[in-house]
Amino acid sequence: MVRILLAEDDKDLNEQVTAYLKLEGFEVDYVFNGLDALNKIYENKYDIILSDIMMPLCDGYELAKSIREENKSIPIIFMSARDDKPSKQIGYKVGIDDYITKPFDLDELVFKIKAIARRIEINTSNLINIGNFKMDKDEHTAYVDDNELSLTVREFDILYALLSNPKKTFTRSKLMEEFWDYDSSATSRTVDVYLSKLRDKTKNCDGFEIQTVHGLGYKVVLK
């Protein structure tokens, strides 16, 4: 069962989201501020973190930063009334996985959580099967219709990360941080060139496409 921690200072919304997620079969713990969220995370193991941005004692940005200092992989979804690009950019910069704007449909939130749960399962198995595309992390191979794709090591690693995190936006700076050495001469243009090549190499894949998130970076969307 997927275990979720919800950090939301609006009591009514907190109760509403908690009750709905429990009806959907998730195990949910809830708190009303970021500091209590951190204490819960230190005491328990969670699969997904849901967090508001504006909270007392420790806001969502500080919460995400603190989590990422200890855990690089646990998925974090921001729930916020802030719908401006700078707020989203800051969120992705501190390491969140997804962002949903208030007021939101509870079913949409559940879809996002289930997509992340599928991603967690993929990461555990090291195998990706999407439509006519297959990828094996252990063997470092990728196939479209049983035809092997010619991918460099860096191309393989970038594509695997994108496919393991469908709908998650990877900023250009995040991609450079993860897949290029700090002393390299990589720029945002370098990232664009690599993603253009990956788009071309995966153009015959019928289960997903690599999309540009204007002003931010890239994400994979399942068809």
Side-chain angles (χ1 to χ4, degrees):
M1 180 182 294
V2 175
R3 189 176 187 187
I4 298 169
L5 175 64
L6 169 64
E8 168 60 64
D9 66 332
D10 183 318
K11 185 174 184 295
D12 290 338
L13 181 59
N14 192 312
E15 291 178 351
Q16 184 182 17
V17 172
T18 297
Y20 197 83
L21 293 181
K22 286 183 176 179
L23 285 175
E24 289 291 326
F26 300 109
E27 183 179 350
V28 185
D29 290 341
Y30 60 88
V31 293
F32 298 101
N33 63 72
L35 185 58
D36 285 347
L38 285 174
N39 290 332
K40 280 280 191 182
I41 291 167
Y42 292 142
E43 296 170 358
N44 304 280
K45 184 180 184 302
Y46 295 99
D47 299 300
I48 298 173
I49 307 297
L50 302 179
S51 176
D52 187 15
I53 293 179
M54 301 304 296
M55 295 185 294
L57 301 181
C58 172
D59 67 21
Y61 295 132
E62 291 301 319
L63 173 61
K65 287 180 184 176
S66 298
I67 292 172
R68 285 292 174 251
E69 288 175 0
E70 301 294 330
N71 189 318
K72 301 294 184 183
S73 60
I74 185 171
I76 303 171
I77 300 175
F78 270 179
M79 310 179 306
S80 177
R82 293 183 173 184
D83 195 25
D84 58 292
K85 188 166 74 173
S87 295
K88 294 178 182 180
Q89 287 177 319
I90 294 171
Y92 287 118
K93 186 175 181 180
V94 298
I96 68 168
D97 295 77
D98 210 337
Y99 195 110
I100 188 169
T101 304
K102 299 175 183 176
F104 53 80
D105 185 276
L106 288 171
D107 285 333
E108 181 183 357
L109 178 61
V110 169
F111 292 152
K112 288 180 179 290
I113 291 171
K114 288 183 176 179
I116 286 178
R118 288 194 298 271
R119 184 193 92 195
I120 294 171
E121 184 178 352
I122 288 172
N123 285 340
T124 301
S125 68
N126 288 338
L127 294 171
I128 294 176
N129 286 281
I130 303 174
N132 63 345
F133 177 83
K134 295 185 295 184
M135 197 172 204
D136 189 319
K137 186 177 181 181
D138 293 330
E139 295 183 358
H140 228 264
T141 55
Y143 294 86
V144 178
D145 290 326
D146 296 324
N147 298 311
E148 187 170 1
L149 291 183
S150 177
L151 299 173
T152 67
V153 172
R154 183 174 285 139
E155 287 172 346
F156 183 96
D157 291 342
I158 293 173
L159 183 58
Y160 188 87
L162 290 170
L163 289 170
S164 297
N165 298 270
K167 293 188 178 181
K168 175 183 176 178
T169 296
F170 284 78
T171 64
R172 290 175 176 85
S173 59
K174 184 64 175 177
L175 289 168
M176 284 190 289
E177 176 186 333
E178 290 195 19
F179 300 107
W180 277 268
D181 297 331
Y182 287 105
D183 60 350
S184 77
S185 58
T187 65
S188 59
R189 176 58 182 160
T190 308
V191 175
D192 291 339
V193 170
Y194 266 79
L195 268 295
S196 178
K197 290 180 179 179
L198 282 175
R199 271 205 188 105
D200 184 62
K201 291 182 178 183
T202 59
K203 63 185 178 183
N204 293 324
C205 297
D206 60 14
F208 69 89
E209 63 178 342
I210 299 171
Q211 292 186 353
T212 301
V213 182
H214 295 293
L216 290 172
Y218 297 90
K219 66 179 179 180
V220 156
V221 174
L222 304 182
K223 295 180 180 179

